[in-house]
Amino acid sequence: MAKPSSSLSVACLLGAIFLFSLAPQIHGGSIAIYWGQNGNEGTLAETCGTGNCDFVNIAFLCSFGSGQSPQLNLAGHCDPYSNACTNLTSDINLCQSKGVKVMLSIGGGAGGYSLKSEQDAADLALYIWNSFLGAVLDDVDFDIEGGNPDYYGALAAHLKSYSSKGNKDVYLSAAPQCPFPDQWVGKALDTGLFDYVWVQFYNNPLRQYVQGNPANLMDSWKQWTTGVHVKYIFLGLPAAPAAAGSGFIQAASLESRVLPALKGSSKYGGVMLWSKFYDDQDGYSSAIKNSV
């Protein structure tokens, strides 16, 4: 076979680079998981020790605003009323030593919380900084499913302002429902202050994966990736069928039918799972880790 000329080789190389630049860039993602709402899900250190997760959301700071004292509820893991939750510090440090970001999740599906004013938002931000962020935690997650939606943007702005006041960056995430825009944190997301958004693509049959048909999920995913100014968006899923009323995706279907389509987006960040307790039931995070 004749040796190709140098000019032809250069032309072929330039052509290959051009074609590569036109192709969708596929990249890997991370797994985020919620921990704290079941005393039988193991410790925080054990959660990070699996090696499957890059983010762990401690759930939840479920009471705040409207003049009430903020209250952490970790459902059997520890009793915050007796300051017993301070023993989590060593677990958090261990997680961080493994490169896992540990985030305080505020809100949740139960509990009493609402911000009634700008001052309410400023007071809560100061409490979170003094009690959690300034001490040991990395970030704040907004899992808001109730209360007045008007002041969560102010809360985000006040929390972000501590990046310049402290010696660390403050990162923010949110876990909206998949109908776009989200009725609770939609206004906050419009601020453009959030770094990660893990959308709950479950318990909403018209916008989630239907067995064998990802069309509804993909339409909703495109709404989120084009409608929100954020660096990374995650596919939020139940970690087992019992974790939600609907929306669970078998690992094989996730790998073959869903993730390849999502990874074409530059905003693809990975998968969020609810929750560690349910993940323990069938090892979902282990099953999907290499595909995410």
Side-chain angles (χ1 to χ4, degrees):
M1 180 178 294
K3 182 179 179 180
S5 68
S6 59
S7 59
L8 180 59
S9 298
V10 171
C12 291
L13 176 60
L14 291 175
I17 292 174
F18 175 71
L19 290 173
F20 179 77
S21 69
L22 293 179
Q25 299 303 298
I26 306 300
H27 59 280
S30 305
I31 294 177
I33 199 164
Y34 281 83
W35 173 92
Q37 285 300 292
N38 193 301
N40 296 316
E41 64 191 344
T43 67
L44 179 61
E46 289 169 345
T47 300
C48 297
T50 65
N52 292 341
C53 306
D54 298 285
F55 302 87
V56 176
N57 295 317
I58 296 180
F60 293 105
L61 186 74
C62 63
S63 297
F64 56 80
S66 303
Q68 61 183 321
S69 298
Q71 187 61 59
L72 185 68
N73 182 334
L74 295 183
H77 285 285
C78 58
D79 178 19
Y81 290 97
S82 61
N83 290 324
C85 293
T86 56
N87 61 10
L88 287 175
T89 301
S90 60
D91 281 14
I92 294 170
N93 289 334
L94 177 64
C95 291
Q96 292 168 332
S97 72
K98 295 178 178 293
V100 179
K101 283 189 175 297
V102 184
M103 314 177 79
L104 172 69
S105 186
I106 67 173
Y113 57 87
S114 183
L115 298 177
K116 63 181 181 181
S117 66
E118 177 92 20
Q119 188 59 51
D120 225 5
D123 291 344
L124 179 59
L126 178 62
Y127 170 82
I128 291 174
W129 174 259
N130 287 337
S131 302
F132 301 101
L133 288 181
V136 63
L137 290 181
D138 294 298
D139 315 304
V140 180
D141 174 59
F142 288 48
D143 186 2
I144 305 300
E145 301 181 32
N148 187 336
D150 292 338
Y151 297 103
Y152 291 116
L155 175 61
H158 284 296
L159 287 169
K160 276 290 190 181
S161 72
Y162 286 103
S163 290
S164 60
K165 298 174 183 178
N167 59 354
K168 63 190 294 184
D169 290 328
V170 174
Y171 295 96
L172 301 178
S173 65
Q177 304 287 319
C178 58
F180 182 86
D182 182 81
Q183 62 177 321
W184 304 117
V185 293
K187 291 182 179 180
L189 292 175
D190 285 341
T191 64
L193 294 173
F194 287 77
D195 303 281
Y196 315 101
V197 173
W198 14 80
V199 184
Q200 299 181 43
F201 285 98
Y202 50 92
N203 291 333
N204 284 281
L206 296 180
R207 296 173 177 86
Q208 67 193 32
Y209 179 80
V210 178
Q211 188 63 37
N213 182 7
N216 290 346
L217 187 151
M218 290 307 305
D219 288 344
S220 186
W221 175 263
K222 289 176 182 177
Q223 280 189 302
W224 281 99
T225 55
T226 58
V228 176
H229 180 65
V230 65
K231 188 171 184 180
Y232 294 116
I233 294 181
F234 285 58
L235 174 70
L237 295 174
S246 62
F248 177 74
I249 305 177
Q250 295 288 342
S253 296
L254 183 70
E255 179 180 358
S256 64
R257 300 186 63 87
V258 178
L259 292 181
L262 303 190
K263 288 182 179 182
S265 168
S266 62
K267 290 186 177 180
Y268 171 77
V271 174
M272 175 274 282
L273 298 178
W274 175 268
S275 61
K276 174 58 165 57
F277 172 75
Y278 292 103
D279 187 48
D280 286 343
Q281 309 308 305
D282 61 0
Y284 193 69
S285 63
S286 295
I288 69 171
K289 179 183 177 182
N290 293 334
S291 302
V292 172

